[in-house]
Amino acid sequence: MAQYRIAWLPGDGIGNDVMEAARIVLDGIRLDADYVPGDIGWDFWCREGDALPARTIALLKGVHAAMFGAITSKPAWAAETELVPALRGTGLVYRSPIVRMRQLFDLYVCLRPCKAYPGNPLNFKDTIDLVIFRENTEDLYAGVEFSPVPAAVASALAAASKPFAPFTGLAPDAYAVSCKVNTRKGSARIVRAAFEYAKQAGRKKVTVVHKANVVRATDGLFLEEARKVAADYPGIAMDDANVDAICMWLLKNPTSYEVLVAPNLYGDIISDLAAQMVGGLGFGCSGNIGEKLAVFEPSHGSAPKYAGQYKVNPIATILAAKMMLDWLGETAKGERLERAVAAVIRAGRVRTYDMGGTNTTLEVAEAVARELKG
């Protein structure tokens, strides 16, 4: 029996391409693991009305970790039209399966390292080395939404917004509501995770990202909890910045930041900005981490127009595999894998189209595997 049992969830679009590349590298590093395929993605929504079937949830309950590729997501109204005819009009509502996984398994940390590897022609600066902690289960991604708006919600909105009352008299289908829900527990534990990482990694500063001057209730609570947590770490500096300002300052002075922590939506935004500064989403790896399970993925989408062409950059997914190795406690293997990736980037002989090259997805993976053997 293998030491590890890994759920293997390619999804759809280019998810299959980049996951095939990741498997080449994991086999090259000789991880003692069984890779158990799982069903997830758009095809299962269309055929079964569920992009995360119950059988896949059951699989995730019995593994050490999971690797996830990418999936197509569309607005609810568009998703309804792509169901098989027998399922249309039955009340099924599409929800992102990755968001559902995060909430079902309480994968509350979204860890997104953004590191520049020398030799990458897409680097904004070769010295960038940021780590972003994004709260992963609440905020505007909590899934508490209304469209059309029920009478009780409309009444509460009208009462809360007096004397302005902009929602009074609107028809239920004339507007929509998405609730931003931040809890004290959720805010405190993601900030603590960021400070714990900084402590273990020898980083000296954590920056809290918010918009508490305008979004006073929810972001105010997040900032309040962050300050409480920071008091437990006197050796690590804490500063804070509005999300709009941090986008400007990250671009101007990216090396002034070490660890950033943010509520769900802001963390999503700033991690994409930071990923672009180190080469784009082809380099953006991500871990969804809880107490008992972690799911690792590239942070890019499914890019259906490139599916099956083996054209896209697999490095984000390969670095996600490195994150999985770290999670499993296989840190020596993780370090070897990262050194191999860095060597391939530095040499510059094997590059996908985004880096100005002509190599395929699998050729990049094979180059990394050769470095591992060397």
Side-chain angles (χ1 to χ4, degrees):
M1 181 181 293
Q3 184 176 2
Y4 302 111
R5 193 165 186 257
I6 308 299
W8 199 254
L9 312 173
D12 50 70
I14 61 169
N16 294 280
D17 302 17
V18 295
M19 288 282 278
E20 189 175 340
R23 183 62 185 273
I24 290 171
V25 175
L26 286 167
D27 288 347
I29 208 163
R30 299 181 183 276
L31 181 67
D32 183 17
D34 288 330
Y35 300 96
V36 188
D39 297 334
I40 189 171
W42 194 251
D43 288 346
F44 299 98
W45 163 257
C46 295
R47 295 201 307 264
E48 303 178 21
D50 193 347
L52 181 63
R55 59 187 177 273
T56 305
I57 295 171
L59 167 65
L60 288 167
K61 292 178 180 178
V63 297
H64 294 93
M67 283 289 296
F68 171 63
I71 52 160
T72 302
S73 285
K74 299 183 181 181
W77 61 268
E80 166 82 10
T81 66
E82 296 197 27
L83 286 168
V84 295
L87 294 176
R88 293 175 198 161
T90 60
L92 294 169
V93 178
Y94 179 80
R95 281 199 66 205
S96 165
I98 188 64
V99 172
R100 285 177 61 201
M101 272 196 292
R102 290 165 179 165
Q103 294 177 341
L104 282 170
F105 293 95
D106 199 22
L107 308 178
Y108 65 92
V109 172
C110 184
L111 178 59
R112 292 190 171 182
C114 294
K115 182 176 181 179
Y117 292 93
N120 183 351
L122 303 175
N123 286 343
F124 180 57
K125 290 184 179 179
D126 282 348
T127 51
I128 295 172
D129 187 3
L130 303 169
V131 179
I132 295 168
F133 280 76
R134 167 194 174 198
E135 200 290 319
N136 218 17
T137 61
E138 41 185 62
D139 196 61
L140 273 167
Y141 289 55
V144 184
E145 301 185 290
F146 305 95
S147 179
V149 178
V153 175
S155 177
L157 284 171
S161 59
K162 287 180 179 179
F164 178 45
F167 310 109
T168 302
L170 288 178
D173 61 353
Y175 63 119
V177 175
S178 295
C179 296
K180 179 177 167 69
V181 183
N182 290 0
T183 67
R184 292 193 180 277
K185 175 184 175 181
S187 301
R189 68 180 180 174
I190 189 63
V191 175
R192 189 168 297 279
F195 272 91
E196 280 294 318
Y197 174 88
K199 180 180 176 181
Q200 296 298 322
R203 301 205 176 203
K204 302 301 183 185
K205 183 174 73 169
V206 173
T207 301
V208 179
V209 181
H210 61 89
K211 191 67 176 174
N213 62 324
V214 175
V215 190
R216 294 181 295 275
T218 49
D219 284 9
L221 180 149
F222 189 88
L223 182 56
E224 179 185 346
E225 292 301 312
R227 287 173 174 155
K228 292 178 186 176
V229 171
D232 294 335
Y233 298 86
I236 301 170
M238 176 197 140
D239 64 357
D240 67 276
N242 287 342
V243 61
D244 46 348
I246 203 69
C247 290
M248 177 182 69
W249 289 112
L250 273 176
L251 190 61
K252 185 174 182 179
N253 297 314
T255 56
S256 296
Y257 299 94
E258 299 182 53
V259 178
L260 299 96
V261 59
N264 207 326
L265 176 62
Y266 306 152
D268 201 6
I269 293 167
I270 61 173
S271 58
D272 277 10
L273 171 62
Q276 184 58 44
M277 293 193 293
V278 298
L281 290 180
F283 296 86
C285 55
S286 181
N288 305 279
I289 301 170
E291 300 299 331
K292 297 181 180 179
L293 177 69
V295 179
F296 299 92
E297 60 171 328
S299 52
H300 59 63
S302 63
K305 67 179 180 180
Y306 293 133
Q309 297 181 30
Y310 294 97
K311 180 178 181 178
V312 300
N313 192 337
I315 290 177
T317 312
I318 293 170
L319 289 174
K322 184 265 181 195
M323 296 178 72
M324 181 182 73
L325 292 171
D326 291 343
W327 158 261
L328 293 172
E330 297 283 356
T331 53
K333 283 184 168 64
E335 289 170 3
R336 280 183 57 213
L337 192 156
E338 185 178 21
R339 286 197 301 270
V341 169
V344 170
I345 293 172
R346 184 171 57 249
R349 291 187 292 270
V350 181
R351 290 175 170 175
T352 44
Y353 81 98
D354 56 318
M355 299 177 71
T358 58
N359 295 102
T360 69
T361 304
L362 301 186
E363 285 171 344
V364 172
E366 288 160 358
V368 175
R370 284 195 299 272
E371 280 292 331
L372 288 168
K373 290 179 181 177

